[in-house]
Each structure stands twice: as structure tokens, then as C-alpha cells.
Amino acid sequence: MSPMQISTTPSSAPVSDERLAEILANPGFGQHFTDHMFTVEWTPDAGWHAARIEPYGPLTLDPATAVLHYAQETFEGMKAYRHDDGSIWSFRPEENAARMARSSHRLAFPVLEIDDFLQAVDALVEIDQRWVPDPAGEKSLYLRPFMIATEKFLGVRPSQHVTFMVIASPAGAYFKGGVKPVTLWLTEEYTRAGRGGMGAAKTGGNYASSLVAQQEATAQGCDQVVFLDAQEGRYVEELGGMNMYFVHDDGTIVTPETGTILEGITRSSIIELAGKLGHQVEERKFSIDEWREGVTSGRITEIFACGTAAVVTPVGELRWEGGSAPAPRSDDLTMRLRQALVDIQYGRAEDTFGWMHRIT
Ligand SMILES: *Cc1c(COP(=O)(O)O)cnc(C)c1O
């Protein structure tokens, strides 16, 4: 396949170096956006066309645009990391591209070729490379590729006009002042994904359906919500946007597999890393009773959640309506796995898995 032709219109008003330094000193998350954005469009007749990088700015959408009504949308979340020598890298980007292709299939979108996805992301990072923060304090440039239904049409069928874009936003450390365990709220009322539903796709609708449960968690003084399977309300699925792991006293690690969770790239990387450290990793159904009994008896020694934004975060207490289960006693392996992953991402440890992709 020949590479996609990308036309470039550089911004005539890029953020000043002075202002950029201010932003990068304290980027927060998802608040500031780089000078440019990438766009490519699709129609049945022309296929993917009009690939371009242009100044970052608002979109003009007709009020009847399909995505606004029926939520035909998919997205990805990934990061660009600056290494100490100044070079810029992404982490397993082909996995994001492949997952977006799977999500796109579920949302009845055309598939964007893996190479085109990679080229789009690399091109945006390259033109906005001054926005990739220095590595100190686990800063990075968060990348948000997304696909939306842009046909002006209120009928219900797959959109005949589709837009894929990439935007980028500098991100600070997820944990300010050190990694600390998150307290979880177990929702027994809401679920995020049912059999045959969209749980395995990265799509905004899954997040929309998680918000009310997250709101409940916050009202209960918890950091995050944990969802159970929709069918039996018995098996742990995941948090709103992070996968889960349970470390046992014999060294075995269990991560839920139900067919309706989102298969995180951090999740699969942890499986490989833990395996290399000599741990047996089981992907299987894991019941909420196993959790409660395990932390009480001490058989479960650590629990953690993982995703691109937070990398790996220890899990503390679990609460539900009328009860709670204590925090596991340790976070030893959790922190070792976290460090191992972060060291690879920032180029401080040898990339024996071949996970890193150099952008510039
Ligand atoms: C993105 C996401 C994750 C984590 O995936 P990573 O590839 O590790 O960032 C987990 N759960 C949900 C629902 C997600 O959308």
C-alpha cells in the first residue's frame, strides 16, 4: 500500500514558546491542545481521502450530523513519550490501530488501515513535537484518535460520511504527589456492557453509560466505580476505563475475562511482563465473592487497575451499599510492574519486547 498523501497547513498563530513552557510545567489532563490536528474523511465512493494537518480549531457540524444523535463513534487513547536524549516514541501504536479497526467494525464504520492510522498519529506528533513534555514527572503527550459519523442524516443506518481525526494534549502525572491506592465503589444497579453489546469496543457510548455510576461512586467518597457482568451480576468486569488484576499469595495473578471487557493494551502488556517475572497469569471469570473472601482471608495480597492514563494504580478498599471489603495488604508487585512498564516507555530500560515505536 502506498502511504497516504497528507497536505499540511501550518498554524499561523502557534502558541508562544513562553505560554507553551507554562502549559508544559503544569499540563493537567485534556485541557490544553496542540497547534494542529489531523483529519481524513471517508465516503463510499471516494474511500478515505482529503488527509490533512491543519491548525487546531472547532468543527462546524450540521445539527443533523449523525454522531450527535446516534453516537456512532470510536476512539483511542495513547501517548507519545520523550526520552532523555530528546527522541520521541509511542508505545505499541499498532495495537491501538488494530483495536480501532475492531471497534470500527463493531460500530459499522469503514476500517482505517493500520498503516494510515500510524502515519496520521506520527505526522501530528512530528509537527507538534515541541508539545511533547520533558520526561521528568511522568509527563507525556496524550493522543486522541477518533472516528465520527459525519453524514447529515437522521435516518438510522451506518453513516455514509465518516471523519477520522487525531488531536493531542500534553498530560501531567496522573498521580500528583505519588501513587496512592484508589477506593472503589461497587455498583450493583448499573452495568456497562452486555452479551453481544459494545463492551469490547472503545466507543463513547460505553463512557456515557458509566457516568451515572461514577457519579454515585463520587457521592460515596470513592475514586472509581467497578462494574459486574450484566448477566449474573457476579463477575468482576472492569472500572469505567481501566482493567483489573488480582495478585494471590502463591504468586498467581488473575485478570477478568468475560468477553465484554475492553481489552486494554496496558492489560496485555502487564500479562507479558508478569509472565517474564515468573508469575502465572490467568485470564478467567473472577467473582465478586472471590474478591471479598480473598482480601479478608489474605489469599489476595494485591489488587491493581491499569490503563494508558494512570499506567498502573493500586486498588484499596472496596465499598458497596451497606458494606465494604478491606484494602489488600501489599502493593509490592503492583509497584514493580508499574515501574517496569514506565521504564520501558521512557526509554530507561531495555525494550526487550519491541514495544516502542520511534516517531522522531
Ligand atoms: C481504554 C480503556 C481501557 C484501558 O485500555 P489501555 O489500552 O490500557 O489504555 C480499559 N477499559 C476501558 C473501558 C477503556 O476504554
Side-chain angles (χ1 to χ4, degrees), residues 125-187:
V125 173
E126 190 162 357
I127 194 167
D128 282 336
Q129 54 184 271
R130 68 192 186 109
W131 286 82
V132 183
D134 285 333
E138 275 184 29
K139 286 177 191 160
S140 60
L141 183 65
Y142 185 79
L143 305 167
R144 171 52 61 85
F146 63 101
M147 197 178 284
I148 52 177
T150 37
E151 184 178 1
K152 171 189 162 188
F153 179 59
L154 288 185
V156 179
R157 57 151 169 73
S159 181
Q160 301 299 292
H161 188 279
V162 175
T163 304
F164 169 82
M165 300 187 71
V166 187
I167 56 175
S169 173
Y174 188 87
F175 296 97
K176 294 166 200 71
V179 177
K180 59 175 198 303
V182 291
T183 302
L184 299 185
W185 174 253
L186 176 67
T187 175

